[in-house]
Amino acid sequence: MNRKLAVSALAAGLFLTGMGTAFATADREAPSAAEARAAWKGIPKLNSGGVQFKDGKYKFEPSHTNRGAFHWKGNLKDNDNGDGHNVYVQVRVEGYDWSRFNGKQRKTVWLDKLSYDGAALHTDDAWIRACRDRGSLRPDNCSVTKSYHR
């Protein structure tokens, strides 16, 4: 009887030691491929007359997080305070038209948004650009459109 108790105590001790070692080394392992793909990447400064989108970053969320969205953020700036026009960022994901995210006249605003296709597991392709709203009689002017692929 004492022998069985000693063997089971030894087995439990070895099991707990193994678990402690596994948890201690888990933090030191390299990030998985999915985590590496989900890291923030830079968006170059987007400029056009009167508008600027700077300090931009993006990432494609994993399928199990935030609907696999195209997650983007940055500062949208009205570069021409005296023109009386508003600024905005447009983002498009595959299968959908452009979505508009407004800024404020004569100010810089921080935008942190998720763009996704609700019917899909995750978003693979996305496009982004910064624009100045010049009213209904003149066409808006926009920066170069940047495209990103998961």
Side-chain angles (χ1 to χ4, degrees):
M1 181 89 158
N2 288 343
R3 189 178 197 188
K4 288 183 180 179
L5 183 61
V7 168
S8 62
L10 180 64
L14 288 173
F15 177 74
L16 292 174
T17 302
M19 281 182 54
T21 303
F23 282 122
T25 60
D27 289 340
R28 289 187 225 141
E29 292 178 11
S32 69
E35 289 171 338
R37 283 192 305 271
W40 288 102
K41 297 173 183 81
I43 297 174
K45 193 181 293 183
L46 303 174
N47 284 311
S48 186
V51 62
Q52 183 180 70
F53 183 71
K54 60 183 184 173
D55 307 320
K57 295 183 182 199
Y58 78 95
K59 71 177 177 176
F60 285 98
E61 297 284 355
S63 299
H64 61 279
T65 307
N66 292 325
R67 298 182 175 107
F70 175 66
H71 191 169
W72 58 275
K73 59 186 176 179
N75 287 302
L76 178 62
K77 180 180 180 182
D78 181 357
N79 260 357
D80 190 351
N81 293 338
D83 68 357
H85 298 299
N86 201 0
V87 294
Y88 59 95
V89 171
Q90 282 188 318
V91 177
R92 186 169 89 81
V93 296
E94 74 237 49
Y96 287 88
D97 204 2
W98 292 99
S99 295
R100 180 175 167 149
F101 301 91
N102 288 324
K104 296 201 186 272
Q105 288 184 23
R106 298 181 298 280
K107 295 190 183 210
T108 299
V109 295
W110 173 256
L111 297 174
D112 186 349
K113 303 291 184 180
L114 298 168
S115 300
Y116 58 89
D117 173 0
L121 182 61
H122 61 260
T123 300
D124 283 326
D125 296 300
W127 297 264
I128 186 168
R129 63 186 177 197
C131 301
R132 177 174 61 163
D133 186 346
R134 298 188 343 151
S136 58
L137 298 178
R138 297 186 309 187
D140 297 352
N141 60 295
C142 295
S143 69
V144 172
T145 300
K146 294 293 183 180
S147 64
Y148 299 101
H149 183 73
R150 180 180 295 267

